[in-house]
């Protein structure tokens, strides 16, 4: 949704790089930005879906996750946890890419508005994105180490 809202608000030529004196150094057409971002979202969705479906087919000897040994006798539960983790990865990537386009549209509005937000107002986004990516990366090892399978 943020991708479409951002696309509508972008000017036809979007500044993507600035010189040290804050002048535009490079621009890209908004269509190119939209299609590249949508393609990256689609590609990440397909890759995460593919990895989630591929995991159940892996032999037990190939699974080298911390804490996964106690889960080997409960492979259906482990497969479900990995599938959830891949869905979480899809959501993280989609949110970050959608928010990036929306922020780019807020900084470079198509129509002149009285008060345009500056890039400095979005410094926190890099920290939030890093936090989400680290959270995604450590989620599965921590979950497998700190929880136990439910006995059927």
């Amino acid at each position: 949704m943020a991708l479409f809202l951002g696309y509508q608000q972008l000017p036809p030529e979007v500044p993507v790089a600035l010189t040290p004196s804050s002048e535009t150094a490079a621009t890209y057409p908004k269509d190119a930005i939209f299609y590249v971002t949508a393609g990256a979202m689609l590609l990440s969705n397909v890759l995460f879906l593919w990895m989630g479906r591929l995991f159940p087919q892996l032999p037990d000897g190939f699974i080298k996750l911390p804490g996964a040994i106690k889960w080997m006798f409960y492979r259906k539960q482990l497969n479900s946890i990995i599938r959830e983790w891949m869905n979480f990865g899809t959501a993280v990537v989609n949110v970050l890419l959608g928010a990036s386009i929306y922020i780019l549209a807020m900084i470079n509005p198509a129509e002149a508005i009285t008060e345009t937000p500056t890039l400095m107002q979005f410094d926190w986004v890099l920290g939030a994105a890093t936090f989400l990516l680290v959270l995604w990366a450590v989620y599965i090892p921590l979950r497998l180490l700190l929880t136990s399978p439910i006995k059927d």
Side-chain angles (χ1 to χ4, degrees), residues 89-141:
T90 300
V92 167
V93 169
N94 288 343
V95 164
L96 293 179
L97 289 173
S100 299
I101 292 296
Y102 188 71
I103 290 169
L104 190 62
M106 290 179 67
I107 294 170
N108 302 302
E111 300 159 3
I113 55 176
T114 56
E115 199 170 309
T116 304
T118 63
L119 187 58
M120 301 308 274
Q121 290 175 312
F122 298 103
D123 280 347
W124 60 272
V125 174
L126 181 60
T130 304
F131 173 76
L132 282 174
L133 290 172
V134 168
L135 179 66
W136 179 78
V138 301
Y139 171 77
I140 198 67

Side-chain angles (χ1 to χ4, degrees), residues 42 54 60 94:
L42 182 63
L54 180 67
D60 292 344
N94 288 343

Side-chain angles (χ1 to χ4, degrees), residues 36-113:
V36 166
T37 305
M41 284 179 155
L42 182 63
L43 181 65
S44 71
N45 288 350
V46 168
L47 286 175
F48 279 117
L49 181 65
W50 176 70
M51 288 187 293
R53 289 193 177 172
L54 180 67
F55 184 81
Q57 298 171 7
L58 288 176
D60 292 344
F62 284 102
I63 300 172
K64 303 294 184 199
L65 294 169
I69 293 172
K70 66 182 176 184
W71 290 86
M72 288 305 153
F73 294 110
Y74 302 94
R75 188 64 192 263
K76 285 184 181 180
Q77 291 178 36
L78 179 62
N79 293 343
S80 177
I81 290 170
I82 296 297
R83 198 173 316 111
E84 290 171 6
W85 184 51
M86 292 299 164
N87 291 340
F88 180 37
T90 300
V92 167
V93 169
N94 288 343
V95 164
L96 293 179
L97 289 173
S100 299
I101 292 296
Y102 188 71
I103 290 169
L104 190 62
M106 290 179 67
I107 294 170
N108 302 302
E111 300 159 3
I113 55 176

Side-chain angles (χ1 to χ4, degrees), residues 135-149:
L135 179 66
W136 179 78
V138 301
Y139 171 77
I140 198 67
L142 288 177
R143 179 159 182 196
L144 293 179
L145 283 171
L146 299 177
T147 61
S148 295

